[in-house]
Amino acid sequence: MSSILVLDTSTDRTSVGLVDENGLLFEFFHDDSLAHGEVLPKLVAKLLDYKPRIDRVAIAMGPGPFTGLRVGIAFGQAFASARNIPWVGVSSLAAMARVHAESEFIVAIDARRREFFCEHYLDGKLFAPARTLQREELAEFSLPIFYEPPTVEAIAELARDEISITEPIYIRKPDAYPAPKGIKFRPWTQIDLIDIYALERSVYLDDPWSMEQFKEEFAGKSRQYLIAEFEGKVVGYAGIMVAGDVTDILTLTVAPNFRRRGIAREFLKRMVDWSRNQKVEAMMLEMRVGNVEAEPLYLANGFRKISERLDYYGPGITAVVMRKELGK
Amino acid sequence: MMSQPLVLGIETSCDETAVGIVRGRTLLANVIASSVEEHARFGGVVPEIASRAHLEAMPSVINEALKVAGVSLNDLDAIGVTAGPGLIGALLVGTSAAHGLSLALDKPLYGVNHLSSHLAVDALDESRALTPAIGLLVSGGHSSIIQMSDMARSVHVLGETIDDAAGEAFDKIARILELDFPGGPAIDRLAREGDANAIEFPRGLANSDYNFSFSGLKTAVARYLKETPLAHKADVAASFQEAIVDVLLEKALRACRETGIEALIIAGGVAANSRLRTVAAERCLVAGVELRTPPVALCTDNGAMVAAMTSLAVSGGIAPSQVGFPTLSTVPLTQPTWL
Ligand SMILES: [Zn+2]
């Protein structure tokens, strides 16, 4: 007889159970997503009172809200190593899917912030890999959606049948992104104008700002300019100003050979922080229509298109006006 | 009551995943994995990154500590873990792993106070008896003066910071001076090239209590830098550091004098500061106070301090914590272990 200790803290429910070849022996659970750390040890202690012998540990590895998820994994790994028994990690979504017989359905775990970790199943097989969907996006599927936490039996079955997942399934990145390596961010100084102007002309070939414009900006009030510097060389700059109830992003420029390194993202993050400190309602910007490099960045940071301005960047070149509400 | 308990201690309150093992008052192992390099890129500790790193590092740090100590988990008499104060997500990785070990092995588990543990490392100097002492706890989160008689039961807080912690002041000034994170070591290094008497920063020593306030000093440094664009950074760092060291020691030694206690323990991350250690040695000698500063490796966050605290609790006959005890982001120093 081999008994499996099942631990799951990947949903709002903390559940522990003991399963052997004959099926479920014991099961305890508690519904309170904030208490995994306190509840899990208590439930396991209760279970060990009934049956102290464990041959294997099965851990639900998520996806799930991170803090709670780690409680089960840290506990299970330590428990297994102390007892000198193996532990097996399983996908929580796969365990949820195991109990449903419909030909096509979705399983979803509440990821907070109006988002859900989801998997789409078709004819008993995983159809689309795990991903995060907004509540509204999820609502658009005309398929059965199941939210019930995985059962202890399903986790134990997967732990017998499938290859162990050894890393937590995180799906979502930490909120903070690493600042780009080796790049320094600082406010501009007058001497930087020379480098900035050179970069401006190499990037905006048809209508760069003139040196006069930069000098006016430098002398102007209620605005902030930042430069990104790599080994003493200006590789990007960004400027923003307060205009009434909003801040307006004036420019955000990165040298072509320094793109895709997170410099623009870092600029934007700092400008959002600064705008919040100015206590304005929203941030706005104008962007050339079809700026495929910048658009995803703005969309990912909560900017939405609100209007277009024809011929803004010269004849035939439309500007898209975007706005991000800062809320209270 | 056990006199020489073998204890494993786990610490994950901030960015170090640390495990220490002690037998009674003897240090057997002190293993640390740090995610500080990842945080350096953000100029501060990012809780979610720290928590992820703790989970990744935990199994190997435990195994390494057991290997170094030459003991097995079954040999342990008790397990200790930091239950607070700290970042909740980070603490939970440690307390969950500790519960896993404790329940699997059926060994008593102690949730301990991170702050008290910083002072408990003093017990690991076996050459000394555990006598009453004044504790100066200086770290990124705390600056306190404590009167200690029985470490594991109760400590009496004489004074605390009313605004920034000493370590926080170091970090903030380092940022103004555009130095690396963490700020303490960066200022310590730069200050060696500067003149500590170059600038007279305010000490804020006017009041006669044991409380600290560093915000005035911080503002003074910021103002000085603004008004003196060509300031010699090393002089600023050295003068700032001198002011902090002066205030800390002035108040700590006043506490020794006024309580009649003749020993001073300086612990916590800032106790690693070389200038603080030098000036403390000079002034304690003059004042006739016995100075006890843990080795630098035991000043910053580590697992040995948790094991030391737990060992004191076990040999002091204190009951283990209850299964599923809570983790707390703030806890007063007066609560050394959890119920
Ligand atoms: Zn500490």
Side-chain angles (χ1 to χ4, degrees):
Chain A
M1 275 293 165
S2 128
S3 58
I4 303 181
L5 170 66
V6 175
L7 308 171
D8 178 20
T9 56
S10 57
T11 70
D12 285 355
R13 173 170 295 180
T14 313
S15 49
V16 309
L18 206 60
V19 179
D20 71 6
E21 282 83 353
N22 299 324
L24 186 67
L25 296 173
F26 300 104
E27 178 185 30
F28 302 114
F29 65 86
H30 179 88
D31 288 321
D32 177 359
S33 59
L34 296 175
H36 289 310
E38 295 173 40
V39 171
L40 182 77
K42 287 180 188 152
L43 298 183
V44 172
K46 205 153 112 181
L47 192 142
L48 291 174
D49 282 344
Y50 292 103
K51 189 171 191 309
R53 199 185 138 193
I54 312 279
D55 300 293
R56 178 191 287 229
V57 180
I59 310 171
M61 301 297 279
F66 308 146
T67 303
L69 182 61
R70 281 188 288 261
V71 165
I73 301 173
F75 181 98
Q77 288 181 338
F79 188 96
S81 103
R83 288 276 177 107
N84 211 5
I85 55 175
W87 68 272
V88 180
V90 312
S91 152
S92 307
L93 288 167
M96 285 165 74
R98 205 169 170 101
V99 300
H100 297 288
E102 285 79 356
S103 66
E104 190 174 6
F105 62 89
I106 287 172
V107 283
I109 294 174
D110 191 344
R112 318 252 163 85
R113 299 189 239 162
R114 304 177 60 79
E115 287 181 340
F116 291 82
F117 299 126
C118 304
E119 267 178 5
H120 184 168
Y121 283 80
L122 181 64
D123 298 330
K125 286 212 159 55
L126 182 59
F127 175 70
R131 63 193 161 134
T132 311
L133 291 177
Q134 307 266 318
R135 188 192 297 266
E136 295 75 18
E137 292 172 310
L138 189 59
E140 280 170 23
F141 285 88
S142 51
L143 286 174
I145 302 172
F146 300 112
Y147 300 94
E148 298 91 65
T151 65
V152 163
E153 292 100 315
I155 294 172
E157 280 168 28
L158 280 177
R160 281 209 184 92
D161 300 350
E162 307 266 322
I163 292 173
S164 174
I165 295 166
T166 54
E167 303 291 323
I169 305 169
Y170 280 132
I171 297 190
R172 202 191 269 148
K173 291 209 171 88
D175 283 341
Y177 282 92
K181 263 201 158 150
I183 310 269
K184 255 184 96 168
F185 291 84
R186 61 171 172 83
W188 71 355
T189 65
Q190 193 151 11
I191 199 128
D192 296 319
L193 293 185
I194 302 161
D195 286 354
I196 288 171
Y197 182 54
L199 184 52
E200 171 86 10
R201 278 191 307 175
S202 73
V203 172
Y204 306 104
L205 300 170
D206 25 340
D207 66 335
W209 282 6
S210 66
M211 192 53 155
E212 284 317 303
Q213 273 172 291
F214 276 114
K215 283 184 179 161
E216 274 172 37
E217 284 298 310
F218 190 77
K221 285 207 176 1
S222 322
R223 60 200 72 201
Q224 286 286 312
Y225 274 78
L226 271 178
I227 62 164
E229 200 179 50
F230 180 73
E231 294 179 348
K233 200 168 134 257
V234 175
V235 297
Y237 51 90
I240 187 165
M241 71 179 288
V242 178
D245 299 339
V246 301
T247 54
D248 195 6
I249 297 181
L250 303 164
T251 178
L252 199 171
T253 308
V254 178
N257 47 343
F258 280 85
R259 288 183 192 162
R260 315 211 63 77
R261 292 197 195 184
I263 296 177
R265 192 170 54 210
E266 182 70 18
F267 274 140
L268 194 57
K269 178 179 163 288
R270 289 172 186 238
M271 292 194 289
V272 170
D273 288 347
W274 183 78
S275 300
R276 286 194 200 282
N277 287 336
Q278 306 306 309
K279 307 259 182 291
V280 293
E281 284 172 8
M283 299 175 68
M284 294 185 61
L285 61 89
E286 286 88 27
M287 182 189 71
R288 236 170 249 248
V289 73
N291 184 341
V292 288
E293 292 202 48
E295 195 175 324
L297 173 71
Y298 294 133
L299 289 174
N301 281 278
F303 283 86
R304 297 290 172 257
K305 292 178 200 177
I306 53 165
S307 63
E308 297 196 336
R309 285 185 194 154
L310 298 172
D311 303 332
Y312 183 83
Y313 291 108
I317 310 174
T318 303
V320 179
V321 183
M322 298 185 94
R323 181 179 168 106
K324 173 189 171 68
E325 301 302 328
L326 291 176
K328 282 286 160 270
Chain B
M1 219 180 282
M2 204 179 295
S3 66
Q4 293 284 308
L6 181 68
V7 178
L8 177 138
I10 299 176
E11 150 64 32
T12 61
S13 66
C14 192
D15 58 349
E16 341 259 12
T17 315
V19 173
I21 298 176
V22 306
R23 189 188 299 278
R25 291 175 56 193
T26 312
L27 177 63
L28 301 182
N30 187 31
V31 175
I32 299 175
S34 172
S35 58
V36 70
E37 271 183 30
E38 282 186 65
H39 301 296
R41 288 191 273 147
F42 303 98
V45 174
V46 181
E48 176 56 22
I49 290 180
S51 307
R52 287 184 186 203
H54 286 314
L55 185 63
E56 268 171 43
M58 185 57 73
S60 54
V61 175
I62 293 176
N63 285 333
E64 181 65 17
L66 292 166
K67 214 165 86 189
V68 173
V71 299
S72 82
L73 286 170
N74 284 308
D75 302 332
L76 298 174
D77 294 309
I79 294 152
V81 63
T82 302
L87 305 165
I88 292 294
L91 289 167
L92 275 172
V93 176
T95 56
S96 299
H99 271 103
L101 294 179
S102 158
L103 287 169
L105 301 164
D106 199 16
K107 308 269 185 193
L109 175 63
Y110 289 79
V112 307
N113 188 322
H114 177 86
L115 302 171
S116 320
S117 304
H118 265 304
L119 291 157
V121 286
D122 178 60
L124 296 177
D125 184 346
E126 300 160 272
S127 65
R128 284 190 272 243
L130 295 170
T131 52
I134 292 293
L136 172 63
L137 174 64
V138 272
S139 70
H142 273 261
S143 311
S144 315
I145 294 181
I146 302 116
Q147 187 176 340
M148 305 185 296
S149 39
D150 183 349
M151 199 65 225
R153 272 177 214 283
S154 70
V155 293
H156 179 55
V157 179
L158 298 176
E160 281 178 312
T161 178
I162 56 170
D163 39 55
D164 293 344
E168 237 176 317
F170 270 99
D171 277 338
K172 286 179 180 166
I173 296 302
R175 213 170 302 160
I176 299 175
L177 287 170
E178 294 177 319
L179 303 178
D180 292 337
F181 172 87
I187 288 190
D188 196 350
R189 268 193 307 276
L190 181 62
R192 279 173 219 164
E193 298 156 26
D195 175 3
N197 299 314
I199 310 142
E200 180 72 22
F201 287 126
R203 298 324 203 227
L205 276 168
N207 50 353
S208 59
D209 60 15
Y210 298 118
N211 290 332
F212 299 109
S213 164
F214 296 113
S215 72
L217 171 59
K218 199 183 65 196
T219 317
V221 176
R223 194 188 311 124
Y224 178 85
L225 283 167
K226 208 168 190 179
E227 288 165 359
T228 325
L230 297 175
H232 186 41
K233 274 193 196 177
D235 286 348
V236 178
S239 303
F240 157 74
Q241 178 174 272
E242 199 67 11
I244 285 217
V245 165
D246 189 24
V247 175
L248 293 174
L249 292 173
E250 183 67 37
K251 297 222 167 183
L253 284 169
R254 188 195 293 164
C256 289
R257 206 164 52 235
E258 289 172 4
T259 56
I261 294 175
E262 288 173 341
L264 173 64
I265 300 171
I266 306 183
V270 178
N273 182 278
S274 66
R275 185 66 189 154
L276 178 61
R277 294 171 90 94
T278 308
V279 179
E282 290 165 10
R283 294 201 194 168
C284 285
L285 191 67
V286 173
V289 167
E290 178 197 17
L291 174 65
R292 308 191 202 161
T293 42
V296 171
L298 294 180
C299 286
T300 45
D301 294 352
N302 63 80
M305 66 192 222
V306 178
M309 182 73 230
T310 307
S311 174
L312 290 175
V314 173
S315 42
I318 288 173
S321 307
Q322 258 159 31
V323 173
F325 57 80
T327 53
L328 298 170
S329 56
T330 55
V331 202
L333 258 160
T334 42
Q335 188 189 346
T337 60
W338 264 236
L339 288 178

